[in-house]
């Protein structure tokens, strides 16, 4: 008796309604799925060690960054006093924050502080970097001298300038009296309190930004300077037509970063002026602090924090977009 050479699949009844093209497509899809699964397994095996090393950092990041962020968003819709269970109140906290007279004052002062910082503090590191870059001798000494304030803790810097601004025994007024100029009530005057804090913040942070610009200046091709010198350009023309256009992407990135940083100003008004005089230096973060630790209004503090987060998120997205474009350009 002859054994049939037909395969088991050939003995099964075939579906006459299914075209052969459909069967071939299903077979190719199945093979593609198996191939993708095999590649995924191979990729996971090769990178398992890296994922295990990355896992603790991800856990810490989720625990101390994402969890407080999500919890703060939830608390902004609740009445929280840390004693009794939280009660859902909807948009009540946001309405209370909007109706607070200090809300508009805090945002106005924060935006004014950011504007002053961009007007003065943004250009100081650029000028310092350009001056040090053009020096023939003593570059290391000046880099160290301008970077020293960055090494001081912010609270130490605040107390140092609190003494400098002292109207009775401060160094600033003493120097003015030496040259027969009247001293000022720098922190007691509403018109000068906020600019005085901008000076403190600029003095404490300009050194690190200056080093970033110095690093960017090292990447300017020397051939561009040589071509400019051949064309008879002076120092100012070389800076304006060669140096600044070359480091413009870094300048734009630092501009966005400075906006994000200055809108979160807290240490200087908290330590030096406590929001005064007459709320002239009350900022958004300081108002959040007052809601939380002075008034125990955790829901309102969370609501204001969510608002600040949304505003900063816009600038963060701009920064990420600019960074990706800069990397693609490189």
């Amino acid at each position: 008796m002859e054994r049939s050479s037909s395969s088991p699949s050939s003995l099964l009844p075939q579906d006459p309604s299914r075209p052969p093209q459909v069967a071939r497509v299903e077979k190719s899809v199945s093979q593609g799925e198996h191939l993708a699964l095999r590649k995924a397994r191979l990729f996971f095996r090769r990178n398992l060690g890296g994922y295990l090393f990355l896992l603790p950092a991800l856990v810490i990041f989720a625990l101390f960054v994402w969890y407080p962020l999500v919890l703060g968003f939830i608390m902004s819709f609740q009445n929280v006093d840390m004693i009794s269970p939280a009660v859902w109140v909807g948009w009540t906290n946001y309405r209370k924050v909007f109706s607070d007279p200090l809300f508009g004052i805090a945002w106005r002062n924060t935006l004014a502080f950011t504007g002053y910082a961009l007007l003065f503090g943004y250009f100081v590191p650029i000028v310092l970097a350009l001056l040090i870059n053009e020096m023939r001798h003593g570059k290391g000494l000046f880099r160290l001298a301008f970077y020293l304030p960055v090494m001081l803790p912010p609270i130490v810097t605040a107390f140092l300038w609190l003494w400098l601004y002292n109207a009775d025994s401060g160094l600033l007024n003493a120097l003015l009296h030496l040259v027969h100029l009247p001293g000022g009530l720098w922190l007691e005057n509403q018109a000068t309190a906020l600019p005085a804090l901008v000076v403190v913040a600029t003095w404490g942070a300009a050194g690190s930004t200056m080093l970033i610009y110095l690093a960017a200046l090292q990447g300017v091709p020397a051939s561009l300077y040589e071509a400019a010198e051949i064309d008879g350009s002076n120092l100012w023309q070389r800076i304006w037509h060669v140096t600044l256009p070359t480091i413009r992407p870094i300048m734009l990135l630092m501009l966005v970063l400075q906006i994000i940083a200055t809108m979160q100003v807290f240490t200087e008004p908290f330590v030096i002026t406590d929001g005064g005089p007459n709320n002239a230096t009350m900022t958004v973060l300081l108002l959040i602090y007052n809601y939380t630790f002075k008034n125990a209004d955790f829901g309102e503090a969370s609501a204001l924090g969510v608002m600040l987060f949304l505003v900063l998120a816009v600038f963060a997205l701009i920064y990420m977009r600019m960074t990706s474009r800069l990397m693609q350009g490189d």
Side-chain angles (χ1 to χ4, degrees), residues 114-123 258:
T114 303
Y116 284 133
L118 294 179
L119 184 61
F120 301 106
Y122 178 69
F123 295 103
Q258 182 165 347

Side-chain angles (χ1 to χ4, degrees), residues 104-118 194 259 262-263 265 283-284 311 315:
I105 295 175
W107 276 106
R108 184 174 66 248
N109 291 336
T110 301
L111 295 177
F113 185 92
T114 303
Y116 284 133
L118 294 179
L194 196 62
I259 292 176
T262 52
M263 290 193 68
V265 57
T283 61
V284 174
V311 173
F315 292 101

